[in-house]
Amino acid sequence: MNTKLTHNRAIFLMVAVTFMWSTAGVVTRHLEFARSFEVTFWRAFFTVLSLLVILPFVRGRDVFRKIRHAGLFFWLSGLCWSVMFTAFMVALTLTSVGNVLVTMSVGPLLTALIARVFIGHRVPPRTWVAIVVAGAGIVYMYASQLGSVSLLGTLVALCVPIAGATNWTVTQHSHDQGHDVDLMPAVWVGAVICCIVTLPLSFPFQANAHDVALLGFLGVVQLAVPCVLSVRCAQILKAPEISLLQLLEVIFGILLAWLGANEVPASPVLWGGALVIGALVVNEVIGWRQRA
């Protein structure tokens, strides 16, 4: 991908990426027969197929040959991607779109914690405050809905930001050692692992043609294309910019589920989500200004 990408274009593209990501919830709500692991399998299957076509264009024809010689950190990254892909779709079948997206939004704060523990990155005081505030928002959101929210769905959704934070820590550690992980083929590896793991759990298949078409859309438009584009944007935009723009997925996702599937977010989700997002926004903006 040699097309010149300016900063402004990267911002616009990242907004489009978050919108594509946000379609998962509303599309999932329109499935007729596919459930749980079958949903995850079909989305990953179509992601694998689409990346087989996309990756040679953006990474060269020998991209898959290079995968065979990739190091440990590359495969760990692929494993993290597979956990994110699997947990996200399963969580959407267990709890509301709003609960899943707000839980996922704590990713940048979990990243700071995990990077501090495992590779010694310093966590500034403002981030500790943000972690406490965001944690309070999550606790309020779920404590106010005890009995009406799936605890299992919450725990599964929490696997997404944990895996994402682990992925960032692994790739950053590899970079510090002089070996950059190519995230685009790592996404493909993650989708392959997801397919292999969820296939036996998907039987007997129940999806009809309507469901398969929607899941094909998710595999290509909601996952494969935006993941490739987000990696490209990350080469231009700074980490705080990426973190802030990714929050649009929460807003877009809740709105789409509300308008497209009549899934009205509960009041605790809105208030708890506001605490989480507000904490992250303030943390990133202060950090951005300090580095400027």
Side-chain angles (χ1 to χ4, degrees):
M1 187 179 293
N2 297 318
T3 305
K4 176 66 175 178
L5 187 63
T6 65
H7 186 271
N8 287 339
R9 288 177 179 175
I11 291 177
F12 177 80
L13 191 59
M14 196 63 207
V15 172
V17 163
T18 59
F19 183 80
M20 286 187 278
W21 278 336
S22 70
T23 59
V26 65
V27 171
T28 301
R29 294 300 181 259
H30 288 282
L31 296 173
E32 295 176 351
F33 298 104
R35 293 293 181 267
S36 192
F37 288 107
E38 184 182 1
V39 173
T40 306
F41 167 77
W42 282 117
R43 187 182 74 141
F45 174 76
F46 285 109
T47 300
V48 169
L49 292 184
S50 55
L51 288 178
L52 282 173
V53 177
I54 295 172
L55 285 181
F57 281 99
V58 298
R59 283 293 186 262
R61 294 182 179 180
D62 61 344
V63 60
F64 297 108
R65 180 181 59 81
K66 291 179 179 178
I67 287 177
R68 290 180 294 177
H69 306 289
L72 174 62
F73 293 121
F74 173 86
W75 293 101
L76 288 175
S77 177
L79 182 61
C80 289
W81 282 111
S82 71
V83 172
M84 287 188 279
F85 296 159
T86 305
F88 176 60
M89 292 308 293
V90 172
L92 283 177
T93 66
L94 295 173
T95 188
S96 72
V97 174
N99 289 341
V100 172
L101 293 177
V102 171
T103 302
M104 286 171 49
S105 68
V106 301
L109 302 179
L110 284 178
T111 299
L113 278 177
I114 291 178
R116 174 70 181 91
V117 172
F118 289 99
I119 59 177
H121 277 209
R122 187 179 68 86
V123 179
R126 59 179 168 77
T127 302
W128 286 116
V129 173
I131 289 170
V132 171
V133 174
I138 293 291
V139 169
Y140 171 76
M141 183 174 73
Y142 290 109
S144 301
Q145 301 179 88
L146 287 177
S148 62
V149 172
S150 166
L151 177 61
L152 178 60
T154 302
L155 294 176
V156 172
L158 193 58
C159 290
V160 179
I162 291 175
T166 303
N167 193 12
W168 186 91
T169 303
V170 165
T171 55
Q172 184 62 43
H173 182 60
S174 179
H175 173 76
D176 293 342
Q177 293 189 343
H179 304 286
D180 286 328
V181 173
D182 191 343
L183 291 178
M184 287 189 189
V187 168
W188 181 79
V189 168
V192 171
I193 295 173
C194 182
C195 278
I196 294 172
V197 171
T198 57
L199 177 58
L201 300 172
S202 302
F203 293 116
F205 285 127
Q206 296 179 310
N208 57 12
H210 170 268
D211 289 351
V212 172
L214 290 180
L215 292 168
F217 169 86
L218 290 182
V220 178
V221 178
Q222 188 270 330
L223 187 55
V225 172
C227 279
V228 169
L229 293 178
S230 67
V231 172
R232 174 65 172 145
C233 290
Q235 298 171 349
I236 305 297
L237 301 177
K238 296 179 181 179
E241 292 176 299
I242 294 287
S243 295
L244 291 175
L245 290 170
Q246 284 177 337
L247 291 178
L248 290 174
E249 181 187 0
V250 181
I251 299 170
F252 288 152
I254 291 176
L255 284 176
L256 287 175
W258 191 347
L259 298 174
N262 199 31
E263 188 172 297
V264 181
S267 178
V269 174
L270 296 178
W271 286 109
L275 276 177
V276 173
I277 293 175
L280 181 56
V281 168
V282 171
N283 177 64
E284 297 293 354
V285 169
I286 293 176
W288 199 352
R289 289 180 175 178
Q290 288 177 347
R291 287 186 290 268

